[in-house]
Amino acid sequence: MPNRLLCALLLLLLLQPAHAAPEQRPFKVCWSVYAGWMLWGYMAEQGIVDKWAKKYGIEIQVRQVPDYVASIEQYTANQYDACAMTNMDALTIPAAAGVDSTALIVGDFSAGADGILVRGGSKDLKDLKGKTILLVENSVSHYLLSRALEWAHLQPGDVKIENVSDKDLAQVWRSGRGDAVVTWNPILSELRQDGDSVQVFSSRHVPGEILDLLVVNSQTLAQHPELGRALTGAWFEGMRLMGLPTPAGAAARARMADAAGATPADFDEQLRTIRSFYAPRSAVAFARGEKMPALMERVAGFADAQRLLGEGKGLQRLGIAFSDDRVLGNRSQIMLRFDPAYMQLAADN
């Protein structure tokens, strides 16, 4: 009898359904409206992300968050595994909050996609003195303003800043508030078309300093390299399609334009204000470039001036890692990593 009972118990165990093992959760990626990031929404819609996720046996959910800063805050709060953001915001929000993050993909850099508009006809940067300027405080717009003030030999205290969220910025500006506004596309393009302001400065004056990235939680990436492979593979497949001078490429861009609330011609114009890395080799070369540490040191200097990295010099507390074992700041407390390894895999097919 005991042997028969043991056999019955073993049979019951063998017949347990396979799904009794814990299932792997879906990975979550978020993005917000910007010419350089519309591709994420398009790839999710067209099944490109799903195709690459299935290739590596995982599930990836891609979600649009209407408010850009909110998307980064949600990523920092561990609600998303990856988020589209700029290099400065990656440093001043998740890294500063102690979330170790990796710049998985360097998609492009702003070369006119961020700009400063002033009411009236003056194009002299020195005329910003005494003006009230609308912007998203402590964002890349704030950084761009600081660079413009440097060019004009003005001090931060020479202007008054009014903090407005990116989702409200166009409405507030059109209501007549503020003497100048600093923002990015598509808001910049929309406001410039109103015709009642002049652009006096843009990211074209500081090429390479505002990078558009896909940032991934470093711990998640280390535990699930398949996520990095899938996201990078999908991205560069989408980039190749978006860059095609063919009807297929034009159709893809038109779909993205519609999602951004722009005409195809307007969207193509916005794409011309960013330097996109359509090929992974170009992205790898930029990420491994000699100027990357100096670029981020300048960004960190601005962040320190705004006390976005805590009291004192932030790079004494946290570090930024680059390829070839280059580190800026505290080597024992790295919180932001520019690792081109996955883009190199894409370059090597």
Side-chain angles (χ1 to χ4, degrees):
M1 181 69 69
N3 287 339
R4 292 177 65 184
L5 180 61
L6 180 61
C7 289
L9 288 171
L10 287 172
L11 182 61
L12 283 172
L13 287 172
L14 289 172
L15 291 175
Q16 287 296 310
H19 64 258
E23 294 183 357
Q24 182 173 290
R25 67 175 178 86
F27 296 102
K28 297 181 179 180
V29 179
C30 64
W31 63 282
S32 54
V33 173
Y34 174 70
W37 296 328
M38 298 307 299
L39 184 60
W40 286 112
Y42 175 81
M43 292 191 303
E45 177 189 79
Q46 297 297 314
I48 296 174
V49 172
D50 281 346
K51 182 185 81 172
W52 282 86
K54 288 176 182 176
K55 177 177 181 178
Y56 290 103
I58 59 176
E59 180 184 350
I60 300 174
Q61 297 176 354
V62 179
R63 297 286 183 269
Q64 179 188 342
V65 177
D67 187 307
Y68 168 63
V69 175
S71 72
I72 307 173
E73 292 172 344
Q74 290 172 29
Y75 162 80
T76 304
N78 204 32
Q79 295 177 33
Y80 289 93
D81 301 290
C83 179
M85 66 184 79
T86 69
N87 53 325
M88 195 196 87
D89 295 321
L91 175 65
T92 60
I93 303 179
V99 178
D100 188 335
S101 298
T102 297
L104 180 74
I105 298 169
V106 180
D108 62 72
F109 64 79
S110 179
D114 300 75
I116 303 175
L117 302 178
V118 177
R119 297 191 196 276
S122 175
K123 291 187 178 182
D124 193 337
L125 276 176
K126 291 184 178 180
D127 290 339
L128 289 175
K129 188 171 183 177
K131 303 289 192 209
T132 296
I133 302 177
L134 309 181
L135 52 74
V136 179
E137 197 169 15
N138 300 329
S139 69
V140 290
S141 294
H142 201 164
Y143 174 77
L144 186 68
L145 174 63
S146 75
R147 296 290 280 123
L149 295 177
E150 286 178 31
W151 274 55
H153 302 289
L154 295 174
Q155 300 300 314
D158 289 331
V159 299
K160 179 183 177 183
I161 290 174
E162 183 175 342
N163 183 31
V164 184
S165 73
D166 56 302
K167 64 184 178 64
D168 298 326
L169 196 59
Q171 181 180 352
V172 172
W173 174 252
R174 284 169 171 154
S175 74
R177 274 165 55 187
D179 305 302
V181 61
V182 191
T183 187
W184 55 81
N185 279 333
I187 306 169
L188 178 66
S189 177
E190 293 171 8
L191 297 183
R192 198 166 49 207
Q193 290 176 15
D194 290 348
D196 59 351
S197 58
V198 175
Q199 183 167 297
V200 296
F201 193 81
S202 80
S203 51
R204 189 173 282 111
H205 294 87
V206 289
E209 295 185 24
I210 300 176
L211 302 175
D212 299 316
L213 315 169
L214 182 73
V215 171
V216 180
N217 182 285
S218 297
Q219 182 178 354
T220 301
L221 184 62
Q223 293 173 347
H224 299 281
E226 66 274 16
L227 174 63
R229 289 172 177 262
L231 290 173
T232 309
W235 176 259
F236 285 107
E237 178 180 332
M239 286 296 284
R240 282 191 292 272
L241 174 61
M242 188 173 76
L244 286 175
T246 63
R253 293 190 299 274
R255 188 71 179 170
M256 291 178 232
D258 184 62
T263 66
D266 288 340
F267 188 70
D268 283 348
E269 180 59 34
Q270 290 178 36
L271 288 177
R272 284 190 281 272
T273 65
I274 59 178
R275 288 287 300 275
S276 297
F277 299 114
Y278 289 99
R281 290 191 186 280
S282 300
V284 170
F286 185 90
R288 287 184 171 156
E290 295 180 2
K291 294 181 179 179
M292 279 293 289
L295 181 157
M296 287 306 300
E297 188 169 22
R298 179 185 286 277
V299 170
F302 167 80
D304 270 333
Q306 300 301 122
R307 297 188 176 181
L308 301 177
L309 303 178
E311 295 296 328
K313 187 171 175 59
L315 290 182
Q316 291 177 350
R317 295 189 302 101
L318 61 85
I320 307 172
F322 306 90
S323 61
D324 302 320
D325 198 35
R326 296 173 295 172
V327 174
L328 183 64
N330 190 338
R331 182 177 286 270
S332 65
Q333 192 67 13
I334 293 172
M335 286 292 147
L336 181 59
R337 305 167 192 272
F338 287 87
D339 182 2
Y342 287 89
M343 295 189 294
Q344 184 64 60
L345 289 175
D348 295 338
N349 294 316

